[in-house]
Amino acid sequence: MSILLTEEQRMIQTMARDFAREVVAVGAAERDLTKIFPARVLAQMGELGFMGMMVPPEFDGSGTDAVSYVSALSEIAYACASTAVVMSVQNSIVCESLLNFGTREQKERFLRPLAAGKAIGAFAMTEPDAGSDPVSQKTTARRDGDHYVIDGTKRFITSGGNARTVLVTAKTDPSKKHRGISVFVVPRETPGMTVGHGEEKMGLRASDTTDLIFNECRVPADQRLGEEGQGFKIAMRGLDSGRIGIAAQSVGVAQAAVDAVVEYTTTREQFGQPVSRFQGLRWMVADMAVEVSAARQLVLSAAAMKDRGENYTMQAAMAKLYASEMVNRVTGTAVQLHGGYGYTMDYPVERYYRDARVFTIYEGTSEIQRTVISNHIFNDKKK
């Protein structure tokens, strides 16, 4: 539904849709089986301006708004969720963090190739014992002259094995808790940073998820992003944008599931007629379509608030919570309506179902989103 989109936003959405269906979707099933990173597709997306959409042209980005971005991201997710998650992390967390907090030199050196799609980025915050609670992280960065020395292990890092530029959170002053966390820009070639264990995942199998290990990793002080102790703020701001991205991906995968059900049930015959003629099934599909539409409006609303410069933290959490839980319900129903075939790899709904499962977990679980939302509600009532 493009009722809220301007003509320019619809043009960007259409371009993304055409590219997704004609290029991205073609090898999606094979990439899922082989776990091959979609490097060639991502390079093409960079040429089309999809890897730095909200970055100004001054730094080789597209200079589009958040509404255009989430609309395009949903279309890519419709075709391949693995490709979409790389696009999402690149745009929402990596590029935006550099744009909002980077120095001019950092933007020239690191942001420009990322926004142009010539490099892949990663954001390394999660650790083996620190996920939704970043204050519990153990990675440290101690000052040593004009360098920082980073030690620790990061886990579940999207694009960890393919990223050329990694934004890393580390404690520079553990006594200050969340105010003692800083962020550092670490290029792939930096000695002391190595790629560790790669996860064998249920879904998003073409998107690599790895450990990153830091052992006496020396980073020049001018590669600290923002001020010392500003890392928690940088991460939380990036996650607000990232959560809209996850919601947009959820909408894309869910819409693909609905369309797959419509196609299958109109050609599958039982008891002498297409199964799409049965009222019970039609009502189930109607419910699926309502949920997808509602999630889409939440995503567009949060993105529009971001574009207007309003505080959109609660709306991003709402969009992420509802859309991520919605896509699990919708893809589950899609598998059910395919019957036994839905449990096989002969039909794409099996992949949609596996891909969707992580959306309620990463970049803040559903429980964390409910905490964020309720905190805003009760804090607002006190004012």
Side-chain angles (χ1 to χ4, degrees):
M1 302 293 181
S2 57
I3 189 170
L4 298 179
L5 306 188
T6 65
E7 182 177 354
E8 181 180 354
Q9 290 164 346
R10 285 196 298 272
M11 288 176 60
I12 293 171
Q13 182 187 46
T14 299
M15 180 175 69
R17 178 177 298 162
D18 291 344
F19 177 78
R21 315 263 173 120
E22 295 170 10
V23 178
V24 181
V26 174
E30 182 181 0
R31 290 192 298 270
D32 174 68
L33 288 173
T34 60
K35 299 187 295 182
I36 293 177
F37 188 74
R40 183 178 300 177
V41 172
L42 290 166
Q44 290 178 270
M45 289 169 59
E47 293 173 2
L48 292 172
F50 289 138
M51 300 303 285
M53 292 189 69
M54 294 173 287
V55 176
E58 176 185 6
F59 297 108
D60 290 345
S62 302
T64 61
D65 55 17
V67 169
S68 296
Y69 162 62
V70 297
S71 299
L73 180 57
S74 288
E75 296 297 339
I76 300 299
Y78 181 102
C80 177
S82 293
T83 303
V85 72
V86 179
M87 174 184 172
S88 179
V89 170
Q90 179 102 344
N91 278 274
S92 299
I93 305 181
V94 179
C95 284
E96 278 211 43
S97 295
L98 282 163
L99 178 65
N100 293 329
F101 296 95
T103 63
R104 179 79 193 192
E105 192 277 332
Q106 288 171 342
K107 292 175 184 177
E108 290 288 348
R109 181 181 173 189
F110 301 114
L111 178 58
R112 189 179 294 281
L114 287 165
K118 295 178 181 178
I120 298 299
F123 194 94
M125 182 172 72
T126 300
E127 297 187 2
D129 298 313
S132 296
D133 179 15
V135 179
S136 297
Q137 65 183 282
K138 295 181 174 62
T139 299
T140 59
R142 56 179 173 83
R143 188 71 184 250
D144 183 18
D146 58 357
H147 284 71
Y148 285 88
V149 181
I150 304 175
D151 286 286
T153 298
K154 298 294 182 176
R155 179 149 294 169
F156 300 140
I157 308 306
T158 299
S159 303
N162 286 278
R164 278 178 49 189
T165 301
V166 183
L167 304 188
V168 183
T169 64
K171 286 185 174 180
T172 45
D173 188 347
S175 67
K176 294 183 179 179
K177 297 185 179 180
H178 71 278
R179 291 186 176 87
I181 299 172
S182 302
V183 174
F184 300 89
V185 186
V186 186
R188 163 64 65 206
E189 64 273 13
T190 306
M193 179 175 72
T194 57
V195 178
H197 171 71
E199 300 295 339
E200 288 287 345
K201 299 178 297 182
M202 175 190 295
L204 302 182
R205 289 167 55 82
S207 163
D208 62 308
T209 303
T210 72
D211 284 1
L212 289 176
I213 301 167
F214 298 86
N215 183 16
E216 291 287 307
C217 180
R218 294 180 63 85
V219 177
D222 62 8
Q223 288 175 208
R224 187 189 65 222
L225 186 63
E227 300 299 323
E228 190 169 290
Q230 205 173 14
F232 185 81
K233 176 182 178 181
I234 294 171
M236 292 305 102
R237 184 165 174 180
L239 285 174
D240 281 347
S241 183
R243 285 164 181 169
I244 301 179
I246 303 301
Q249 292 172 62
S250 299
V251 169
V253 173
Q255 186 63 61
V258 172
D259 290 352
V261 165
V262 171
E263 180 179 359
Y264 176 77
T265 58
T266 53
T267 57
R268 171 74 168 171
E269 290 197 0
Q270 292 286 280
F271 305 105
Q273 61 180 329
V275 295
S276 60
R277 296 281 183 87
F278 295 107
Q279 186 181 71
L281 182 147
R282 295 172 76 93
W283 284 10
M284 292 170 73
V285 175
D287 287 340
M288 295 166 72
V290 170
E291 289 209 73
V292 176
S293 184
R296 182 180 289 110
Q297 296 307 316
L298 279 171
V299 173
L300 292 173
S301 175
M305 289 184 69
K306 179 182 179 182
D307 286 333
R308 292 194 298 267
E310 300 172 14
N311 186 316
Y312 65 98
T313 299
M314 183 173 74
Q315 283 69 25
M318 285 182 169
K320 202 271 188 184
L321 172 64
Y322 182 79
S324 65
E325 296 200 341
M326 173 278 299
V327 72
N328 277 276
R329 291 190 294 269
V330 166
T331 55
T333 302
V335 170
Q336 186 72 20
L337 292 179
H338 275 68
Y341 290 112
Y343 198 64
T344 72
M345 291 186 178
D346 295 334
Y347 289 84
V349 291
E350 176 269 345
R351 172 165 52 90
Y352 302 155
Y353 184 70
R354 287 187 290 106
D355 286 343
R357 189 60 193 89
V358 75
F359 292 162
T360 61
I361 298 172
Y362 67 174
E363 293 197 29
T365 63
S366 290
E367 292 71 29
I368 288 295
Q369 306 313 315
R370 290 185 170 95
T371 298
V372 171
I373 294 164
S374 60
N375 285 346
H376 274 73
I377 292 171
F378 285 103
N379 286 340
D380 287 346
K381 286 184 179 294
K382 290 178 181 178
K383 295 178 181 179

